[in-house]
Amino acid sequence: MTTCDEVLKTMLALKDDEQKAVLQRFFKTGKGQYGDGDVFLGIKVPQTRAVAKRFWKECSADDLHRLLQSAYHEVRLVALLMLAMQYKHDRGNAAYADFYLNHTSRINNWDLVDLSCYDILGNWLLDKDRTVLYSLARSTNFWEQRIAIVSCMAFVRNNQYDDCLAISDMLLHHPHDLIQKAVGWLLREVGKRNNEVLTNFLATRYRTMPRTMLRYAIEKYPDNVRKQFLHGTF
C-alpha cells in the first residue's frame, strides 16, 4: 500500500455524514454556487491536520499529486497541509512553490487557498521577484486571484506592504464577495501593523470600493472613524 493509499484509507475512516451535510451547506456546494460540485467527507480541520502530521514525511510529490486529484475536499486539504509542512522543513527548495503553482486548479475553495498559499507561496517569495502574484491576480479564475492577494500575508507579516496594496488595487472593484473579503482582510492586516499606510490607501479609494471590502478593511478602527468611512465623510 502506498502512502497515498494509506492517507485515503485514514481519511475515509473519519467520514461523518452529519458533519458532511453541514460543510456542504457552509461551503456553498449547491448548483451555481462558488463551491458547485465540491464533495465533502465531513472531517473537521483539526482532524485533517492530525492526519497531515502523521503522514507528511512519507508523502512523495506523486502521492501529493494523486491526493490533489481527489473529488473529496478534505483529501485535497490534507495534501496541501502536508505540502506546507514539507516546505517548512525544506524552505530553500523551489520545488514546493512550483508544485503549488502547477496545481492551482485543485486549490478551488477559500479554505484550501487560505490554509496553504502564504505558508508556501508567500513565504517562498519573501526575498524574490513577485511577478507571479500579479499574473495570478489577472487570472480569470477567482481562486487564483484569491491566492494572489492572500499570499501577501507573508509580506505583511514582515512589514512589506507594497505588493499587498498594489494587488488590492488590481482587485479593488472585483464583483465576487470572496475576493472582496480577502482584499479587505489583507488591508486590515496592513492597518494592524501600520495604520498610517492603510489610512492613506483608503483615503482615495473608500468611496468607490465595495462595501464588503471596506467593512473588512476598517474593522480595527475606532467606532467614530469607521462611521466616517461608512458615511463617506472621512
Side-chain angles (χ1 to χ4, degrees):
M1 182 180 290
T2 67
T3 303
C4 175
D5 293 331
E6 290 183 18
V7 173
L8 285 171
K9 180 180 178 181
T10 303
M11 294 294 284
L12 288 170
L14 295 170
K15 182 178 179 181
D16 182 328
D17 287 335
E18 185 175 337
Q19 182 67 12
K20 171 184 174 178
V22 173
L23 294 175
Q24 297 270 170
R25 290 192 299 272
F26 183 74
F27 284 97
K28 308 296 184 184
T29 61
K31 186 70 174 176
Q33 295 181 307
Y34 67 73
D36 188 352
D38 208 352
V39 181
F40 283 77
L41 289 168
I43 305 172
K44 296 180 179 180
V45 172
Q47 294 174 291
T48 304
R49 286 193 185 279
V51 175
K53 289 177 181 177
R54 177 179 169 187
F55 289 106
W56 72 270
K57 291 181 181 178
E58 289 77 34
C59 259
S60 68
D62 182 62
D63 289 325
L64 294 175
H65 170 77
R66 289 175 59 199
L67 292 169
L68 280 169
Q69 306 315 305
S70 176
Y72 293 122
H73 182 102
E74 296 95 334
V75 174
R76 300 197 303 282
L77 177 57
V78 79
L80 293 167
L81 293 174
M82 288 191 289
L83 182 68
M85 292 173 186
Q86 291 179 357
Y87 171 74
K88 185 176 181 180
H89 186 71
D90 190 14
R91 285 185 183 275
N93 193 333
Y96 300 102
D98 290 340
F99 182 95
Y100 193 86
L101 289 168
N102 287 332
H103 289 82
T104 56
S105 65
R106 306 303 298 158
I107 308 169
N108 53 358
N109 216 313
W110 61 264
D111 64 320
L112 302 181
V113 172
D114 296 357
L115 292 173
S116 64
C117 69
Y118 60 84
D119 282 339
I120 302 169
L121 189 57
N123 276 311
W124 171 250
L125 294 173
L126 267 175
D127 58 354
K128 297 173 183 67
D129 179 84
R130 298 161 186 179
T131 303
V132 64
L133 295 186
Y134 292 82
S135 297
L136 290 171
R138 288 189 290 269
S139 172
T140 56
N141 181 325
F142 74 85
W143 298 124
E144 290 189 342
Q145 292 175 317
R146 188 166 174 117
I147 289 171
I149 184 61
V150 177
S151 291
C152 292
M153 182 70 79
F155 315 150
V156 172
R157 288 180 173 176
N158 283 270
N159 301 314
Q160 301 174 23
Y161 310 124
D162 289 351
D163 294 290
C164 181
L165 298 180
I167 292 173
S168 294
D169 253 342
M170 293 175 67
L171 301 173
L172 199 69
H173 301 292
H174 199 286
H176 203 292
D177 71 330
L178 285 177
I179 300 299
Q180 295 171 16
K181 290 175 181 178
V183 172
W185 168 33
L186 267 291
L187 290 174
R188 182 178 71 226
E189 292 300 312
V190 170
K192 284 164 64 175
R193 289 159 178 81
N194 193 317
N195 184 260
E196 182 180 2
V197 169
L198 176 58
T199 299
N200 289 340
F201 180 86
L202 293 176
T204 57
R205 298 164 175 84
Y206 79 96
R207 287 191 175 93
T208 62
M209 64 198 300
R211 200 72 162 178
T212 296
M213 186 186 296
L214 178 61
R215 286 185 180 277
Y216 271 65
I218 64 175
E219 191 175 275
K220 297 299 180 180
Y221 280 95
D223 187 59
N224 63 312
V225 179
R226 288 201 309 273
K227 288 179 179 178
Q228 288 178 332
F229 276 117
L230 292 171
H231 296 158
T233 59
F234 181 78

PDB file of all heavy atoms in Angstrom, residues 155-187:
ATOM      1  N   PHE A 155       4.135  38.746   3.313  1.00  0.00           N
ATOM      2  CA  PHE A 155       4.845  40.022   3.206  1.00  0.00           C
ATOM      3  C   PHE A 155       4.394  40.980   4.305  1.00  0.00           C
ATOM      4  O   PHE A 155       5.215  41.635   4.947  1.00  0.00           O
ATOM      5  CB  PHE A 155       4.599  40.672   1.844  1.00  0.00           C
ATOM      6  CG  PHE A 155       4.706  39.744   0.668  1.00  0.00           C
ATOM      7  CD1 PHE A 155       3.942  39.970  -0.478  1.00  0.00           C
ATOM      8  CD2 PHE A 155       5.549  38.646   0.676  1.00  0.00           C
ATOM      9  CE1 PHE A 155       4.023  39.135  -1.561  1.00  0.00           C
ATOM     10  CE2 PHE A 155       5.640  37.793  -0.416  1.00  0.00           C
ATOM     11  CZ  PHE A 155       4.871  38.039  -1.531  1.00  0.00           C
ATOM     12  N   VAL A 156       3.085  41.042   4.501  1.00  0.00           N
ATOM     13  CA  VAL A 156       2.532  41.960   5.502  1.00  0.00           C
ATOM     14  C   VAL A 156       3.090  41.636   6.878  1.00  0.00           C
ATOM     15  O   VAL A 156       3.444  42.540   7.651  1.00  0.00           O
ATOM     16  CB  VAL A 156       0.982  41.897   5.503  1.00  0.00           C
ATOM     17  CG1 VAL A 156       0.407  42.702   6.665  1.00  0.00           C
ATOM     18  CG2 VAL A 156       0.435  42.424   4.176  1.00  0.00           C
ATOM     19  N   ARG A 157       3.193  40.364   7.194  1.00  0.00           N
ATOM     20  CA  ARG A 157       3.719  39.959   8.499  1.00  0.00           C
ATOM     21  C   ARG A 157       5.197  40.317   8.656  1.00  0.00           C
ATOM     22  O   ARG A 157       5.721  40.299   9.772  1.00  0.00           O
ATOM     23  CB  ARG A 157       3.501  38.458   8.703  1.00  0.00           C
ATOM     24  CG  ARG A 157       2.038  38.122   8.958  1.00  0.00           C
ATOM     25  CD  ARG A 157       1.821  36.639   9.159  1.00  0.00           C
ATOM     26  NE  ARG A 157       0.444  36.368   9.555  1.00  0.00           N
ATOM     27  CZ  ARG A 157      -0.061  35.146   9.724  1.00  0.00           C
ATOM     28  NH1 ARG A 157       0.707  34.075   9.524  1.00  0.00           N
ATOM     29  NH2 ARG A 157      -1.327  34.980  10.089  1.00  0.00           N
ATOM     30  N   ASN A 158       5.829  40.613   7.539  1.00  0.00           N
ATOM     31  CA  ASN A 158       7.221  41.073   7.570  1.00  0.00           C
ATOM     32  C   ASN A 158       7.319  42.571   7.259  1.00  0.00           C
ATOM     33  O   ASN A 158       8.364  43.060   6.845  1.00  0.00           O
ATOM     34  CB  ASN A 158       8.060  40.257   6.593  1.00  0.00           C
ATOM     35  CG  ASN A 158       8.393  38.877   7.122  1.00  0.00           C
ATOM     36  OD1 ASN A 158       9.397  38.672   7.781  1.00  0.00           O
ATOM     37  ND2 ASN A 158       7.515  37.920   6.847  1.00  0.00           N
ATOM     38  N   ASN A 159       6.191  43.269   7.459  1.00  0.00           N
ATOM     39  CA  ASN A 159       6.129  44.727   7.285  1.00  0.00           C
ATOM     40  C   ASN A 159       6.500  45.174   5.875  1.00  0.00           C
ATOM     41  O   ASN A 159       7.074  46.244   5.679  1.00  0.00           O
ATOM     42  CB  ASN A 159       7.019  45.419   8.327  1.00  0.00           C
ATOM     43  CG  ASN A 159       6.600  45.084   9.744  1.00  0.00           C
ATOM     44  OD1 ASN A 159       5.421  45.113  10.081  1.00  0.00           O
ATOM     45  ND2 ASN A 159       7.560  44.741  10.590  1.00  0.00           N
ATOM     46  N   GLN A 160       6.135  44.361   4.901  1.00  0.00           N
ATOM     47  CA  GLN A 160       6.298  44.698   3.491  1.00  0.00           C
ATOM     48  C   GLN A 160       4.892  44.853   2.904  1.00  0.00           C
ATOM     49  O   GLN A 160       4.168  43.871   2.774  1.00  0.00           O
ATOM     50  CB  GLN A 160       7.058  43.588   2.754  1.00  0.00           C
ATOM     51  CG  GLN A 160       8.449  43.307   3.300  1.00  0.00           C
ATOM     52  CD  GLN A 160       9.102  42.113   2.630  1.00  0.00           C
ATOM     53  OE1 GLN A 160       8.748  41.728   1.510  1.00  0.00           O
ATOM     54  NE2 GLN A 160      10.061  41.498   3.312  1.00  0.00           N
ATOM     55  N   TYR A 161       4.526  46.059   2.547  1.00  0.00           N
ATOM     56  CA  TYR A 161       3.136  46.342   2.197  1.00  0.00           C
ATOM     57  C   TYR A 161       2.882  46.625   0.715  1.00  0.00           C
ATOM     58  O   TYR A 161       1.737  46.570   0.269  1.00  0.00           O
ATOM     59  CB  TYR A 161       2.629  47.537   3.014  1.00  0.00           C
ATOM     60  CG  TYR A 161       2.890  47.425   4.497  1.00  0.00           C
ATOM     61  CD1 TYR A 161       3.598  48.410   5.181  1.00  0.00           C
ATOM     62  CD2 TYR A 161       2.436  46.325   5.217  1.00  0.00           C
ATOM     63  CE1 TYR A 161       3.837  48.311   6.549  1.00  0.00           C
ATOM     64  CE2 TYR A 161       2.677  46.202   6.589  1.00  0.00           C
ATOM     65  CZ  TYR A 161       3.381  47.208   7.237  1.00  0.00           C
ATOM     66  OH  TYR A 161       3.629  47.104   8.585  1.00  0.00           O
ATOM     67  N   ASP A 162       3.915  46.962  -0.026  1.00  0.00           N
ATOM     68  CA  ASP A 162       3.717  47.491  -1.385  1.00  0.00           C
ATOM     69  C   ASP A 162       2.964  46.524  -2.283  1.00  0.00           C
ATOM     70  O   ASP A 162       2.046  46.935  -3.013  1.00  0.00           O
ATOM     71  CB  ASP A 162       5.062  47.852  -2.020  1.00  0.00           C
ATOM     72  CG  ASP A 162       5.698  49.084  -1.387  1.00  0.00           C
ATOM     73  OD1 ASP A 162       5.012  49.743  -0.575  1.00  0.00           O
ATOM     74  OD2 ASP A 162       6.868  49.375  -1.699  1.00  0.00           O
ATOM     75  N   ASP A 163       3.338  45.253  -2.270  1.00  0.00           N
ATOM     76  CA  ASP A 163       2.676  44.297  -3.165  1.00  0.00           C
ATOM     77  C   ASP A 163       1.241  44.036  -2.739  1.00  0.00           C
ATOM     78  O   ASP A 163       0.348  43.900  -3.589  1.00  0.00           O
ATOM     79  CB  ASP A 163       3.468  42.986  -3.220  1.00  0.00           C
ATOM     80  CG  ASP A 163       4.823  43.166  -3.877  1.00  0.00           C
ATOM     81  OD1 ASP A 163       4.860  43.387  -5.100  1.00  0.00           O
ATOM     82  OD2 ASP A 163       5.837  43.121  -3.169  1.00  0.00           O
ATOM     83  N   CYS A 164       1.008  43.997  -1.459  1.00  0.00           N
ATOM     84  CA  CYS A 164      -0.369  43.828  -0.960  1.00  0.00           C
ATOM     85  C   CYS A 164      -1.247  44.972  -1.444  1.00  0.00           C
ATOM     86  O   CYS A 164      -2.369  44.756  -1.921  1.00  0.00           O
ATOM     87  CB  CYS A 164      -0.370  43.749   0.563  1.00  0.00           C
ATOM     88  SG  CYS A 164      -2.011  43.524   1.272  1.00  0.00           S
ATOM     89  N   LEU A 165      -0.755  46.190  -1.343  1.00  0.00           N
ATOM     90  CA  LEU A 165      -1.544  47.351  -1.762  1.00  0.00           C
ATOM     91  C   LEU A 165      -1.726  47.373  -3.275  1.00  0.00           C
ATOM     92  O   LEU A 165      -2.810  47.698  -3.770  1.00  0.00           O
ATOM     93  CB  LEU A 165      -0.865  48.633  -1.287  1.00  0.00           C
ATOM     94  CG  LEU A 165      -0.725  48.797   0.233  1.00  0.00           C
ATOM     95  CD1 LEU A 165      -0.039  50.115   0.561  1.00  0.00           C
ATOM     96  CD2 LEU A 165      -2.075  48.708   0.935  1.00  0.00           C
ATOM     97  N   ALA A 166      -0.680  47.012  -4.007  1.00  0.00           N
ATOM     98  CA  ALA A 166      -0.776  47.016  -5.465  1.00  0.00           C
ATOM     99  C   ALA A 166      -1.776  45.972  -5.961  1.00  0.00           C
ATOM    100  O   ALA A 166      -2.586  46.247  -6.862  1.00  0.00           O
ATOM    101  CB  ALA A 166       0.601  46.762  -6.077  1.00  0.00           C
ATOM    102  N   ILE A 167      -1.741  44.775  -5.380  1.00  0.00           N
ATOM    103  CA  ILE A 167      -2.679  43.729  -5.791  1.00  0.00           C
ATOM    104  C   ILE A 167      -4.088  44.055  -5.306  1.00  0.00           C
ATOM    105  O   ILE A 167      -5.081  43.782  -5.997  1.00  0.00           O
ATOM    106  CB  ILE A 167      -2.189  42.351  -5.303  1.00  0.00           C
ATOM    107  CG1 ILE A 167      -0.907  41.981  -6.058  1.00  0.00           C
ATOM    108  CG2 ILE A 167      -3.258  41.282  -5.506  1.00  0.00           C
ATOM    109  CD1 ILE A 167      -0.218  40.729  -5.556  1.00  0.00           C
ATOM    110  N   SER A 168      -4.193  44.694  -4.146  1.00  0.00           N
ATOM    111  CA  SER A 168      -5.501  45.170  -3.698  1.00  0.00           C
ATOM    112  C   SER A 168      -6.092  46.143  -4.701  1.00  0.00           C
ATOM    113  O   SER A 168      -7.296  46.097  -5.002  1.00  0.00           O
ATOM    114  CB  SER A 168      -5.378  45.845  -2.325  1.00  0.00           C
ATOM    115  OG  SER A 168      -5.021  44.918  -1.329  1.00  0.00           O
ATOM    116  N   ASP A 169      -5.260  47.023  -5.231  1.00  0.00           N
ATOM    117  CA  ASP A 169      -5.724  47.966  -6.254  1.00  0.00           C
ATOM    118  C   ASP A 169      -6.221  47.231  -7.497  1.00  0.00           C
ATOM    119  O   ASP A 169      -7.238  47.610  -8.091  1.00  0.00           O
ATOM    120  CB  ASP A 169      -4.597  48.925  -6.633  1.00  0.00           C
ATOM    121  CG  ASP A 169      -4.817  50.320  -6.082  1.00  0.00           C
ATOM    122  OD1 ASP A 169      -5.957  50.648  -5.709  1.00  0.00           O
ATOM    123  OD2 ASP A 169      -3.846  51.089  -6.026  1.00  0.00           O
ATOM    124  N   MET A 170      -5.498  46.179  -7.894  1.00  0.00           N
ATOM    125  CA  MET A 170      -5.906  45.408  -9.073  1.00  0.00           C
ATOM    126  C   MET A 170      -7.275  44.753  -8.866  1.00  0.00           C
ATOM    127  O   MET A 170      -8.044  44.595  -9.818  1.00  0.00           O
ATOM    128  CB  MET A 170      -4.865  44.333  -9.376  1.00  0.00           C
ATOM    129  CG  MET A 170      -3.518  44.860  -9.835  1.00  0.00           C
ATOM    130  SD  MET A 170      -2.290  43.529 -10.027  1.00  0.00           S
ATOM    131  CE  MET A 170      -2.981  42.626 -11.432  1.00  0.00           C
ATOM    132  N   LEU A 171      -7.565  44.369  -7.626  1.00  0.00           N
ATOM    133  CA  LEU A 171      -8.805  43.641  -7.326  1.00  0.00           C
ATOM    134  C   LEU A 171      -9.851  44.519  -6.646  1.00  0.00           C
ATOM    135  O   LEU A 171     -10.878  44.019  -6.181  1.00  0.00           O
ATOM    136  CB  LEU A 171      -8.470  42.448  -6.418  1.00  0.00           C
ATOM    137  CG  LEU A 171      -7.474  41.429  -6.985  1.00  0.00           C
ATOM    138  CD1 LEU A 171      -7.110  40.389  -5.923  1.00  0.00           C
ATOM    139  CD2 LEU A 171      -8.027  40.748  -8.229  1.00  0.00           C
ATOM    140  N   LEU A 172      -9.614  45.820  -6.642  1.00  0.00           N
ATOM    141  CA  LEU A 172     -10.417  46.739  -5.827  1.00  0.00           C
ATOM    142  C   LEU A 172     -11.906  46.720  -6.165  1.00  0.00           C
ATOM    143  O   LEU A 172     -12.745  46.900  -5.294  1.00  0.00           O
ATOM    144  CB  LEU A 172      -9.878  48.166  -5.964  1.00  0.00           C
ATOM    145  CG  LEU A 172     -10.302  49.141  -4.865  1.00  0.00           C
ATOM    146  CD1 LEU A 172      -9.641  48.766  -3.537  1.00  0.00           C
ATOM    147  CD2 LEU A 172      -9.925  50.573  -5.243  1.00  0.00           C
ATOM    148  N   HIS A 173     -12.234  46.489  -7.418  1.00  0.00           N
ATOM    149  CA  HIS A 173     -13.648  46.516  -7.819  1.00  0.00           C
ATOM    150  C   HIS A 173     -14.119  45.136  -8.283  1.00  0.00           C
ATOM    151  O   HIS A 173     -15.042  45.028  -9.089  1.00  0.00           O
ATOM    152  CB  HIS A 173     -13.842  47.553  -8.921  1.00  0.00           C
ATOM    153  CG  HIS A 173     -13.437  48.935  -8.488  1.00  0.00           C
ATOM    154  ND1 HIS A 173     -14.127  49.650  -7.529  1.00  0.00           N
ATOM    155  CD2 HIS A 173     -12.375  49.713  -8.850  1.00  0.00           C
ATOM    156  CE1 HIS A 173     -13.532  50.812  -7.325  1.00  0.00           C
ATOM    157  NE2 HIS A 173     -12.473  50.876  -8.107  1.00  0.00           N
ATOM    158  N   HIS A 174     -13.511  44.106  -7.724  1.00  0.00           N
ATOM    159  CA  HIS A 174     -13.890  42.738  -8.083  1.00  0.00           C
ATOM    160  C   HIS A 174     -15.340  42.467  -7.669  1.00  0.00           C
ATOM    161  O   HIS A 174     -15.768  42.840  -6.577  1.00  0.00           O
ATOM    162  CB  HIS A 174     -12.958  41.749  -7.389  1.00  0.00           C
ATOM    163  CG  HIS A 174     -12.953  40.394  -8.024  1.00  0.00           C
ATOM    164  ND1 HIS A 174     -13.995  39.499  -7.887  1.00  0.00           N
ATOM    165  CD2 HIS A 174     -12.032  39.787  -8.816  1.00  0.00           C
ATOM    166  CE1 HIS A 174     -13.713  38.390  -8.554  1.00  0.00           C
ATOM    167  NE2 HIS A 174     -12.527  38.538  -9.128  1.00  0.00           N
ATOM    168  N   PRO A 175     -16.115  41.798  -8.522  1.00  0.00           N
ATOM    169  CA  PRO A 175     -17.535  41.597  -8.221  1.00  0.00           C
ATOM    170  C   PRO A 175     -17.831  40.501  -7.202  1.00  0.00           C
ATOM    171  O   PRO A 175     -18.926  40.480  -6.630  1.00  0.00           O
ATOM    172  CB  PRO A 175     -18.126  41.227  -9.588  1.00  0.00           C
ATOM    173  CG  PRO A 175     -16.983  40.602 -10.335  1.00  0.00           C
ATOM    174  CD  PRO A 175     -15.766  41.349  -9.887  1.00  0.00           C
ATOM    175  N   HIS A 176     -16.894  39.581  -6.967  1.00  0.00           N
ATOM    176  CA  HIS A 176     -17.190  38.438  -6.099  1.00  0.00           C
ATOM    177  C   HIS A 176     -16.857  38.752  -4.648  1.00  0.00           C
ATOM    178  O   HIS A 176     -15.781  39.249  -4.336  1.00  0.00           O
ATOM    179  CB  HIS A 176     -16.403  37.201  -6.550  1.00  0.00           C
ATOM    180  CG  HIS A 176     -17.034  35.918  -6.104  1.00  0.00           C
ATOM    181  ND1 HIS A 176     -17.092  35.539  -4.773  1.00  0.00           N
ATOM    182  CD2 HIS A 176     -17.657  34.931  -6.805  1.00  0.00           C
ATOM    183  CE1 HIS A 176     -17.714  34.376  -4.675  1.00  0.00           C
ATOM    184  NE2 HIS A 176     -18.072  33.989  -5.885  1.00  0.00           N
ATOM    185  N   ASP A 177     -17.780  38.420  -3.754  1.00  0.00           N
ATOM    186  CA  ASP A 177     -17.569  38.771  -2.351  1.00  0.00           C
ATOM    187  C   ASP A 177     -16.407  38.013  -1.714  1.00  0.00           C
ATOM    188  O   ASP A 177     -15.805  38.488  -0.749  1.00  0.00           O
ATOM    189  CB  ASP A 177     -18.855  38.580  -1.538  1.00  0.00           C
ATOM    190  CG  ASP A 177     -19.249  37.126  -1.330  1.00  0.00           C
ATOM    191  OD1 ASP A 177     -18.943  36.291  -2.198  1.00  0.00           O
ATOM    192  OD2 ASP A 177     -19.870  36.829  -0.301  1.00  0.00           O
ATOM    193  N   LEU A 178     -16.042  36.854  -2.254  1.00  0.00           N
ATOM    194  CA  LEU A 178     -14.908  36.124  -1.691  1.00  0.00           C
ATOM    195  C   LEU A 178     -13.578  36.822  -1.985  1.00  0.00           C
ATOM    196  O   LEU A 178     -12.620  36.672  -1.217  1.00  0.00           O
ATOM    197  CB  LEU A 178     -14.872  34.693  -2.225  1.00  0.00           C
ATOM    198  CG  LEU A 178     -15.914  33.749  -1.625  1.00  0.00           C
ATOM    199  CD1 LEU A 178     -15.839  32.385  -2.271  1.00  0.00           C
ATOM    200  CD2 LEU A 178     -15.767  33.628  -0.119  1.00  0.00           C
ATOM    201  N   ILE A 179     -13.521  37.577  -3.054  1.00  0.00           N
ATOM    202  CA  ILE A 179     -12.338  38.394  -3.324  1.00  0.00           C
ATOM    203  C   ILE A 179     -12.416  39.691  -2.531  1.00  0.00           C
ATOM    204  O   ILE A 179     -11.420  40.148  -1.956  1.00  0.00           O
ATOM    205  CB  ILE A 179     -12.189  38.689  -4.833  1.00  0.00           C
ATOM    206  CG1 ILE A 179     -12.052  37.375  -5.615  1.00  0.00           C
ATOM    207  CG2 ILE A 179     -10.982  39.594  -5.087  1.00  0.00           C
ATOM    208  CD1 ILE A 179     -10.840  36.541  -5.245  1.00  0.00           C
ATOM    209  N   GLN A 180     -13.595  40.273  -2.454  1.00  0.00           N
ATOM    210  CA  GLN A 180     -13.769  41.490  -1.657  1.00  0.00           C
ATOM    211  C   GLN A 180     -13.388  41.250  -0.195  1.00  0.00           C
ATOM    212  O   GLN A 180     -12.691  42.061   0.419  1.00  0.00           O
ATOM    213  CB  GLN A 180     -15.221  41.960  -1.743  1.00  0.00           C
ATOM    214  CG  GLN A 180     -15.651  42.389  -3.142  1.00  0.00           C
ATOM    215  CD  GLN A 180     -17.147  42.646  -3.231  1.00  0.00           C
ATOM    216  OE1 GLN A 180     -17.825  42.793  -2.219  1.00  0.00           O
ATOM    217  NE2 GLN A 180     -17.668  42.693  -4.445  1.00  0.00           N
ATOM    218  N   LYS A 181     -13.814  40.135   0.359  1.00  0.00           N
ATOM    219  CA  LYS A 181     -13.494  39.812   1.752  1.00  0.00           C
ATOM    220  C   LYS A 181     -11.998  39.576   1.930  1.00  0.00           C
ATOM    221  O   LYS A 181     -11.407  40.012   2.928  1.00  0.00           O
ATOM    222  CB  LYS A 181     -14.281  38.577   2.194  1.00  0.00           C
ATOM    223  CG  LYS A 181     -15.776  38.819   2.334  1.00  0.00           C
ATOM    224  CD  LYS A 181     -16.513  37.525   2.670  1.00  0.00           C
ATOM    225  CE  LYS A 181     -18.012  37.764   2.784  1.00  0.00           C
ATOM    226  NZ  LYS A 181     -18.752  36.504   3.054  1.00  0.00           N
ATOM    227  N   ALA A 182     -11.390  38.899   0.969  1.00  0.00           N
ATOM    228  CA  ALA A 182      -9.952  38.616   1.066  1.00  0.00           C
ATOM    229  C   ALA A 182      -9.133  39.898   1.006  1.00  0.00           C
ATOM    230  O   ALA A 182      -8.199  40.093   1.802  1.00  0.00           O
ATOM    231  CB  ALA A 182      -9.523  37.664  -0.050  1.00  0.00           C
ATOM    232  N   VAL A 183      -9.481  40.795   0.087  1.00  0.00           N
ATOM    233  CA  VAL A 183      -8.767  42.068  -0.011  1.00  0.00           C
ATOM    234  C   VAL A 183      -8.962  42.878   1.264  1.00  0.00           C
ATOM    235  O   VAL A 183      -8.002  43.421   1.830  1.00  0.00           O
ATOM    236  CB  VAL A 183      -9.230  42.868  -1.248  1.00  0.00           C
ATOM    237  CG1 VAL A 183      -8.616  44.269  -1.231  1.00  0.00           C
ATOM    238  CG2 VAL A 183      -8.834  42.141  -2.534  1.00  0.00           C
ATOM    239  N   GLY A 184     -10.198  42.948   1.748  1.00  0.00           N
ATOM    240  CA  GLY A 184     -10.465  43.681   2.981  1.00  0.00           C
ATOM    241  C   GLY A 184      -9.708  43.105   4.161  1.00  0.00           C
ATOM    242  O   GLY A 184      -9.170  43.848   5.004  1.00  0.00           O
ATOM    243  N   TRP A 185      -9.642  41.807   4.245  1.00  0.00           N
ATOM    244  CA  TRP A 185      -8.903  41.119   5.305  1.00  0.00           C
ATOM    245  C   TRP A 185      -7.421  41.493   5.277  1.00  0.00           C
ATOM    246  O   TRP A 185      -6.842  41.860   6.304  1.00  0.00           O
ATOM    247  CB  TRP A 185      -9.107  39.616   5.141  1.00  0.00           C
ATOM    248  CG  TRP A 185      -8.218  38.728   5.953  1.00  0.00           C
ATOM    249  CD1 TRP A 185      -7.702  38.965   7.200  1.00  0.00           C
ATOM    250  CD2 TRP A 185      -7.748  37.427   5.566  1.00  0.00           C
ATOM    251  NE1 TRP A 185      -6.945  37.890   7.615  1.00  0.00           N
ATOM    252  CE2 TRP A 185      -6.955  36.936   6.632  1.00  0.00           C
ATOM    253  CE3 TRP A 185      -7.939  36.634   4.425  1.00  0.00           C
ATOM    254  CZ2 TRP A 185      -6.341  35.673   6.570  1.00  0.00           C
ATOM    255  CZ3 TRP A 185      -7.326  35.380   4.378  1.00  0.00           C
ATOM    256  CH2 TRP A 185      -6.542  34.919   5.445  1.00  0.00           C
ATOM    257  N   LEU A 186      -6.826  41.430   4.088  1.00  0.00           N
ATOM    258  CA  LEU A 186      -5.398  41.751   3.982  1.00  0.00           C
ATOM    259  C   LEU A 186      -5.136  43.227   4.272  1.00  0.00           C
ATOM    260  O   LEU A 186      -4.137  43.574   4.916  1.00  0.00           O
ATOM    261  CB  LEU A 186      -4.875  41.361   2.598  1.00  0.00           C
ATOM    262  CG  LEU A 186      -4.269  39.954   2.478  1.00  0.00           C
ATOM    263  CD1 LEU A 186      -2.961  39.855   3.250  1.00  0.00           C
ATOM    264  CD2 LEU A 186      -5.234  38.870   2.949  1.00  0.00           C
ATOM    265  N   LEU A 187      -6.026  44.092   3.838  1.00  0.00           N
ATOM    266  CA  LEU A 187      -5.865  45.511   4.157  1.00  0.00           C
ATOM    267  C   LEU A 187      -5.969  45.736   5.664  1.00  0.00           C
ATOM    268  O   LEU A 187      -5.214  46.543   6.238  1.00  0.00           O
ATOM    269  CB  LEU A 187      -6.917  46.342   3.419  1.00  0.00           C
ATOM    270  CG  LEU A 187      -6.743  46.442   1.899  1.00  0.00           C
ATOM    271  CD1 LEU A 187      -7.933  47.166   1.278  1.00  0.00           C
ATOM    272  CD2 LEU A 187      -5.439  47.161   1.541  1.00  0.00           C
TER     273      LEU A 187
END
